[in-house]
Amino acid sequence: MHISSKGLKQALTAVMLALLVSGCVGAREQSPPFRTLVELDDNAIPTFKDADDVDAYLRAQERERAAIAQRQKEEGWWWEPAIIVTASKSTEDVAITNTQVAGVDEGGIVKATREFLVILRRGRVHVVRHGDNTLETVSSIDAFPPDDPDPEDTWYDEMLLYQGMVIVIGYSYGEGGTEISRFNFSDAGVLTYRDTHYLNSADYYSSSNYASRLVDGTFYSYTPTYFDVDWRDNLPFLERRLPGGARVRVETTLKPSDMGMSAAMMVDPSSGAEMMHGITACDVLSEQLTCSTRTVLGTRASEYYFSGEAAYIWTGTGHDTRQGRASRDWGNVLYRLPFNLSDDVTAVSVKGDPVDQFSFHEDDETDSLFVLTVGKMWGSVYAKGEAQLLQIPLEGMGNGIEVLPPDLHRSLPEMEGDVQNRFVGRHLMVGNGVWWRDDVDAQFYITPLDERWVQKIDLPHTVSRLDRLGEDGVAIGADADGSLGFTAIVFDEDELTGSIGSTYFLPAAEEGENRSQAFYWRADPDGGDGDGLMALPVDRELEGFDFYYLGSATAMVYLDRKGGNLRPVGELGSTPDANAIAAAEAMQKLDQAGECKASCTDWYGNSRPIFIGDRILALMGDQIIEGELVGGQIVELRRLNFTQLR
């Protein structure tokens, strides 16, 4: 299915040009478009020819902005813009974490390979051996270069494993870029430092998304940089760190012909192109790390999503009333950057804001991208306004001047609050929770991808997390009594409807982690449909313990599902032992003495459920705790403080 035929595309292009150069967008004389439309390709976004082309666009952009600012001042609604200053400058890996897309590994804080767990914790990488029914620390190493005299200016957030290589990803404020360190991982589980590289980028941190992915052995990283008169210095480039801290340029990973934008922005330099949103691909097994970058222009607001075939970036174009022109109501753009570099980057004009990366779903059955948008975003997940489900045919994406037709928008009820969303099978679940406001009611809806109806389901609690239980879903959230509710959502694939399967309330508890990888569902290999075991870190106030240094959560809670019914089977870590308390006190003293070397706060959390075969493990701060199901209840077997090896 195409958004429009070639003839309709050409007509839309002509209409867009007419709007840009006529009085329809403002009673003033318009500058000529930066590029004539005959140069635009219907099937791909336009790119710059060379560096002079980029400079010319920036000059045209500055002229347009100055003219708009002058008119704003004359019309009496002028304000001084804020000044923003930017810095210048052979193995078998096991999937043990909850990922959004099968086959797309996300950067995380714990990974598994062969008989080992690898854990990133407070600026160090730890290896724990679990084979032969053991649990022992094998090796530990700093996540930063061995001769780095000032590691505290880098936050080590994520880690990936691939064929005997551990890749640690952090953001260095001192170096002004994404830091990528590679560590060799021996058959005995010993880590040795290999090298460190820096990718020039602005901070990639997201409260919910992960900056890095591993797809078919290629490492991908989101690398945003600023687009301004200093764009040459801001281009994503790769540098290798030499002993002693000096850096040498390996290569420029981006050239002007790799920089593109929506055609609507290219022909209208008054748009708000202020960021280069890049996707950098690296061959992590190469002797000398090699990378290449594709980048697209947009505003600072953005969200990104990785499927198994491409990266998607949703960003703004700046076409709104804040810049003194009539709003087109299509002030955003969706880009598709294929992993195959021989394929073109495409785009389409869109409106609304996605909530997070879970608002996207690339659907093989319809060859479309489904996206949930909710009005305007006011924070990391707080949204308010009309919700819509967009179906964007991939073949219909082109140069970005086209707008998504109304019939590919499906209206959903208005939402307000901390909106959660998740695609499960052929359905979308969306719900909310506003724990600090009594006047906003909790909402929960499902809608099938293949029909246009919306079904409201009344849950007995709010929604702070949505996830999958195999082919079904789960909604998790607080109730009015301070309990944490778990509700299974059963989907009928024939009727395309959903219903509540079972609900369980955990008294006096709340979620201990908000990251998607904190939840895990293990389906029973020999059980019935939908049977399995789920785990989630939770937090309780326990008198006499300072849990800040023990981890983000006070317990790992386990619920099983048999015959559609949820029931608790126990917890791990709910009572800290003497070793855990002593370790927490020691860590507190290190922090108070200023001796924590790097990443002293775990922004990405530090509690994760781990299932390896039949074994049940939990990462809780500095400990790995193992449990066993005995008579239908979790019984603790052992604990290991993996940070004690130095």
Side-chain angles (χ1 to χ4, degrees):
M1 180 179 181
H2 292 263
I3 291 179
S4 58
S5 66
K6 184 176 181 181
L8 182 55
K9 283 186 178 181
Q10 292 172 340
L12 285 169
T13 299
V15 170
M16 180 62 68
L17 179 58
L19 289 172
L20 291 172
V21 300
S22 72
C24 292
V25 294
R28 68 184 181 94
E29 182 180 352
Q30 294 285 332
S31 300
F34 171 69
R35 283 195 175 184
T36 60
L37 290 177
V38 294
E39 296 181 31
L40 299 180
D41 180 357
D42 279 347
N43 301 312
I45 64 169
T47 59
F48 293 103
K49 297 174 182 177
D50 50 34
D52 291 339
D53 208 20
V54 181
D55 290 333
Y57 182 83
L58 282 167
R59 288 194 297 270
Q61 185 182 67
E62 184 58 32
R63 288 194 300 271
E64 289 291 325
R65 287 176 173 172
I68 292 171
Q70 180 61 33
R71 190 171 78 260
Q72 291 171 348
K73 191 171 185 178
E74 292 172 354
E75 294 174 358
W77 55 291
W78 168 260
W79 69 91
E80 291 293 333
I83 298 175
I84 299 173
V85 180
T86 60
S88 56
K89 318 212 193 197
S90 82
T91 61
E92 206 176 296
D93 299 339
V94 182
I96 61 168
T97 51
N98 179 15
T99 58
Q100 181 179 3
V101 178
V104 179
D105 193 14
E106 302 165 351
I109 62 171
V110 58
K111 299 291 179 182
T113 181
R114 306 191 310 274
E115 57 180 336
F116 303 106
L117 292 173
V118 184
I119 304 159
L120 178 63
R121 170 78 167 131
R122 295 170 66 90
R124 287 183 66 82
V125 184
H126 308 270
V127 178
V128 172
R129 183 173 179 267
H130 63 77
D132 299 326
N133 200 32
T134 61
L135 207 58
E136 59 182 357
T137 306
V138 175
S139 65
S140 183
I141 193 171
D142 286 330
F144 46 86
D147 57 352
D148 188 348
D150 193 28
E152 67 266 19
D153 60 7
T154 302
W155 295 98
Y156 297 96
D157 303 314
E158 303 178 16
M159 175 182 59
L160 290 161
L161 259 64
Y162 187 63
Q163 294 190 5
M165 181 85 66
V166 175
I167 307 106
V168 175
I169 303 98
Y171 188 80
S172 174
Y173 292 93
E175 303 294 344
T178 301
E179 182 174 312
I180 305 170
S181 290
R182 298 190 294 177
F183 297 84
N184 294 320
F185 189 39
S186 75
D187 291 341
V190 177
L191 291 168
T192 55
Y193 173 78
R194 179 167 175 171
D195 56 25
T196 295
H197 291 76
Y198 299 97
L199 271 171
N200 185 41
S201 71
D203 194 353
Y204 57 70
Y205 175 78
S206 166
S207 63
S208 63
N209 209 341
Y210 304 95
S212 58
R213 303 292 194 278
L214 191 67
V215 185
D216 295 331
T218 300
F219 165 79
Y220 294 93
S221 179
Y222 172 59
T223 49
T225 54
Y226 296 104
F227 182 64
D228 52 29
V229 293
D230 298 322
W231 66 271
R232 289 173 177 82
D233 296 332
N234 297 337
L235 288 177
F237 56 80
L238 186 68
E239 291 183 318
R240 184 172 70 252
R241 190 181 194 278
L242 302 178
R247 299 191 295 181
V248 59
R249 181 76 64 92
V250 176
E251 61 179 307
T252 298
T253 66
L254 184 71
K255 51 186 182 295
S257 59
D258 293 324
M259 298 167 57
M261 70 177 81
S262 147
M265 300 174 69
M266 182 68 82
V267 301
D268 179 14
S270 68
S271 65
E274 56 185 356
M275 290 294 292
M276 296 181 282
H277 298 280
I279 300 296
T280 297
C282 302
D283 179 5
V284 294
L285 296 183
S286 57
E287 182 64 27
Q288 297 294 335
L289 190 66
T290 58
C291 302
S292 61
T293 300
R294 278 177 148 179
T295 193
V296 293
L297 298 187
T299 59
R300 300 189 184 194
S302 69
E303 188 56 76
Y304 52 94
Y305 158 74
F306 288 79
S307 72
E309 304 292 334
Y312 293 86
I313 295 178
W314 183 294
T315 182
T317 65
H319 286 287
D320 59 23
T321 54
R322 288 174 298 175
Q323 293 186 299
R325 59 188 306 126
S327 172
R328 290 168 43 216
D329 201 28
W330 296 93
N332 292 328
V333 59
L334 171 70
Y335 293 103
R336 185 177 191 270
L337 292 78
F339 294 149
N340 186 347
L341 297 181
S342 64
D343 293 341
D344 291 324
V345 177
T346 55
V348 63
S349 291
V350 288
K351 62 179 178 179
D353 291 326
V355 177
D356 53 24
Q357 72 269 29
F358 295 108
S359 303
F360 299 81
H361 170 65
E362 189 181 81
D363 183 49
D364 293 336
E365 291 193 22
T366 59
D367 198 27
S368 301
L369 182 76
F370 286 92
V371 186
L372 172 74
T373 65
V374 184
K376 299 297 291 183
M377 294 297 296
W378 302 101
S380 58
V381 293
Y382 188 86
K384 181 178 181 180
E386 178 187 8
Q388 295 195 77
L389 179 60
L390 282 54
Q391 181 177 354
I392 304 170
L394 301 185
E395 290 185 0
M397 298 181 70
N399 61 25
I401 210 165
E402 309 93 338
V403 297
L404 191 67
D407 64 338
L408 294 178
H409 293 71
R410 186 184 315 174
S411 293
L412 304 177
E414 288 194 3
M415 301 291 294
E416 179 180 2
D418 294 333
V419 177
Q420 305 294 321
N421 56 159
R422 198 67 186 255
F423 289 91
V424 180
R426 307 298 302 165
H427 286 84
L428 167 69
M429 303 189 299
V430 57
N432 73 335
V434 186
W435 56 268
W436 69 92
R437 289 182 58 182
D438 295 332
D439 60 327
V440 177
D441 294 329
Q443 301 165 269
F444 180 72
Y445 305 96
I446 65 171
T447 183
L449 303 187
D450 303 313
E451 296 291 345
R452 300 188 69 88
W453 67 67
V454 180
Q455 179 184 356
K456 185 177 188 296
I457 296 179
D458 292 324
L459 295 178
H461 52 75
T462 63
V463 178
S464 59
R465 180 184 295 267
L466 295 172
D467 219 300
R468 295 184 292 241
L469 302 182
E471 296 181 355
D472 293 329
V474 62
I476 301 172
D479 72 353
D481 296 326
S483 297
L484 187 62
F486 298 76
T487 297
I489 306 298
V490 180
F491 293 109
D492 186 322
E493 295 300 333
D494 294 325
E495 299 294 329
L496 299 180
T497 58
S499 60
I500 292 178
S502 175
T503 297
Y504 170 75
F505 286 99
L506 182 68
E510 60 185 29
E511 288 198 59
E513 293 271 12
N514 68 341
R515 290 275 172 177
S516 61
Q517 294 177 8
F519 175 87
Y520 202 84
W521 163 259
R522 185 187 71 180
D524 288 349
D526 302 322
D529 293 340
D531 289 354
L533 183 67
M534 77 174 79
L536 180 73
V538 300
D539 181 45
R540 295 191 185 92
E541 291 185 9
L542 297 183
E543 187 176 353
F545 298 112
D546 180 5
F547 280 97
Y548 175 79
Y549 292 95
L550 296 174
S552 300
T554 60
M556 188 71 66
V557 168
Y558 296 86
L559 278 72
D560 76 357
R561 188 184 187 214
K562 302 292 185 188
N565 294 316
L566 296 177
R567 70 178 186 92
V569 294
E571 304 177 3
L572 291 177
S574 56
T575 304
D577 61 9
N579 290 333
I581 295 172
E585 291 173 347
M587 191 69 69
Q588 186 174 18
K589 290 178 181 178
L590 284 175
D591 283 359
Q592 291 171 345
E595 296 181 15
C596 177
K597 294 182 179 180
S599 289
C600 300
T601 299
D602 293 302
W603 295 109
Y604 280 40
N606 49 39
S607 300
R608 298 289 185 271
I610 303 168
F611 295 100
I612 301 178
D614 294 333
R615 298 182 71 178
I616 300 171
L617 305 167
L619 169 64
M620 299 289 291
D622 297 327
Q623 291 190 324
I624 293 289
I625 307 174
E626 182 169 8
E628 182 181 26
L629 274 172
V630 178
Q633 291 293 311
I634 295 281
V635 176
E636 183 178 319
L637 293 180
R638 64 185 72 141
R639 299 184 182 208
L640 172 71
N641 187 320
F642 54 82
T643 66
Q644 293 179 335
L645 179 64
R646 287 275 178 173

